Amino acid sequence: MFALLHAADGPYQFHWDLHSDVVLLCIFLQAGYLYAVTQLRPVVSDAGRVRRRQMLLFTAGVLSIYLVSGTPVHEISEQYLLSMHMFQHGVYTLIAAPLLLAGIPGWLWQAVFRWRPAFIVARYAFHPLIAFGVFNAVLVASHLPPVVDLALNEHWFHFAVHATIVVTAMMMWWPILSNVPELPRLTAPLAVAYLFLQSIVPAVVASFVTFAHSAVYEFYGNAPRIWGISPVEDQQIGGGVMKLMGTLILWGFMTVIFFQWYDREQKRPQKDEMWEGVEQELQALGLDTRDR
């Protein structure tokens, strides 16, 4: 199976490589997860079985990693277009990371946290300020020209960058998606503020790339041109992809969290009014609960 692109020097043909390292990684992630939630559960926890929804979410996270790492998307990202590179990183941080995190049951995390050193590390790593700072530091560093050019020329470093991006993205999403009581998620107002701030940093990085008048990255500036896209146009598209993905997904989460919080707040006064009515009826019967 192959795709046919049109480079500046004529048609260019590339094949859909197997990418055995990506395939093995995805198999390892999926098999390890299934083993943990089926075979290890009776040993480490007396909780109920993992929900089917969680299994589907984790599987979707693994699949999303494969779709941008084991398909022609990876070749286009690694050899031709910065815009595809931005899309690939967007999938890692905004789709794969939250799906993987949402698919891991709380009892599995709790089993890991029984080891005191692991809990101490997690308590600091998943703190909202630290998670936010570490992820965005990695986000900015991974888009610096020397880092990008090195990653595109050294496969081992490229893999390390991608792994770091996914892990730190899961840290960033923890305050929003945590299902562990010991390390709970943020309250709704704080979660909205957290995601709003998170939406700003990628926009800054995107603007740096979008408004550059020449090739920011030497590698992509010298890469064969496909689809008639110039290096500057490629950067503009890449910046737009980065900003658009962040806006749609982060603001989508913010909207859901806000309306869920609003709905809870709307229901709370109704319960208070109902209880006040009950108290009034008890008082009319001479049974004042406040006297007890």
Side-chain angles (χ1 to χ4, degrees):
M1 183 180 295
F2 61 87
L4 186 64
L5 305 179
H6 192 275
D9 55 352
Y12 185 87
Q13 189 179 95
F14 67 91
H15 294 275
W16 188 328
D17 296 326
L18 180 60
H19 291 290
S20 57
D21 54 343
V22 177
V23 173
L24 290 175
L25 174 64
C26 291
I27 291 175
F28 174 79
L29 289 173
Q30 189 67 29
Y33 175 80
L34 293 175
Y35 179 78
V37 300
T38 57
Q39 303 303 313
L40 291 184
R41 183 192 59 79
V43 178
V44 301
S45 175
D46 56 358
R49 295 183 178 180
V50 63
R51 297 175 182 176
R52 180 176 297 181
R53 174 175 173 271
Q54 289 177 310
M55 296 182 69
L56 291 175
L57 288 172
F58 190 90
T59 301
V62 174
L63 181 61
S64 65
I65 290 176
Y66 175 76
L67 289 177
V68 294
S69 301
T71 67
V73 170
H74 181 71
E75 271 72 22
I76 300 174
S77 167
E78 194 175 49
Q79 300 178 29
Y80 304 102
L81 296 178
L82 172 65
S83 52
M84 194 63 75
H85 173 91
M86 293 298 195
F87 172 74
Q88 185 184 47
H89 282 209
V91 171
Y92 288 147
T93 59
L94 299 171
I95 298 177
L99 286 174
L100 293 174
L101 188 59
I104 301 175
W107 56 261
L108 186 56
W109 286 112
Q110 290 173 319
V112 175
F113 294 157
R114 287 175 191 166
W115 186 43
R116 186 66 180 172
F119 179 74
I120 293 174
V121 171
R123 185 175 62 184
Y124 287 102
F126 295 146
H127 187 281
L129 293 178
I130 294 177
F132 180 89
V134 170
F135 170 73
N136 285 288
V138 170
L139 177 70
V140 172
S142 64
H143 288 90
L144 293 176
V147 176
V148 172
D149 289 332
L150 177 61
L152 293 170
N153 285 288
E154 297 291 343
H155 179 73
W156 68 269
F157 186 69
H158 201 178
F159 178 85
V161 169
H162 286 176
T164 303
I165 287 174
V166 174
V167 171
T168 56
M170 292 178 69
M171 289 172 55
M172 183 273 290
W173 281 104
W174 183 278
I176 305 299
L177 300 173
S178 170
N179 54 5
V180 180
E182 294 84 354
L183 298 171
R185 65 182 66 181
L186 292 170
T187 61
L190 289 177
V192 171
Y194 178 87
L195 290 174
F196 173 75
L197 291 175
Q198 181 53 55
S199 68
I200 294 176
V201 178
V204 174
V205 177
S207 63
F208 167 73
V209 174
T210 302
F211 297 109
H213 297 293
S214 60
V216 174
Y217 304 106
E218 181 181 355
F219 182 93
Y220 287 113
N222 297 327
R225 308 321 308 164
I226 60 175
W227 299 326
I229 302 175
S230 70
V232 174
E233 291 172 338
D234 182 27
Q235 289 177 173
Q236 293 172 343
I237 296 172
V241 167
M242 189 176 189
K243 182 173 177 57
L244 183 61
M245 289 185 69
T247 299
L248 290 177
I249 294 176
L250 293 174
W251 280 80
F253 270 90
M254 290 166 60
T255 302
V256 171
I257 292 171
F258 173 80
F259 280 107
Q260 288 178 340
W261 170 66
Y262 178 79
D263 184 61
R264 289 195 300 268
E265 291 299 309
Q266 285 295 104
K267 291 178 179 178
R268 184 174 299 173
Q270 296 176 6
K271 293 181 179 179
D272 294 340
E273 292 174 3
M274 181 181 67
W275 178 245
E276 290 175 2
V278 172
E279 285 189 328
Q280 291 175 0
E281 291 183 9
L282 291 175
Q283 290 173 11
L285 295 173
L287 301 173
D288 191 347
T289 56
R290 292 173 296 181
D291 294 335
R292 297 186 178 183

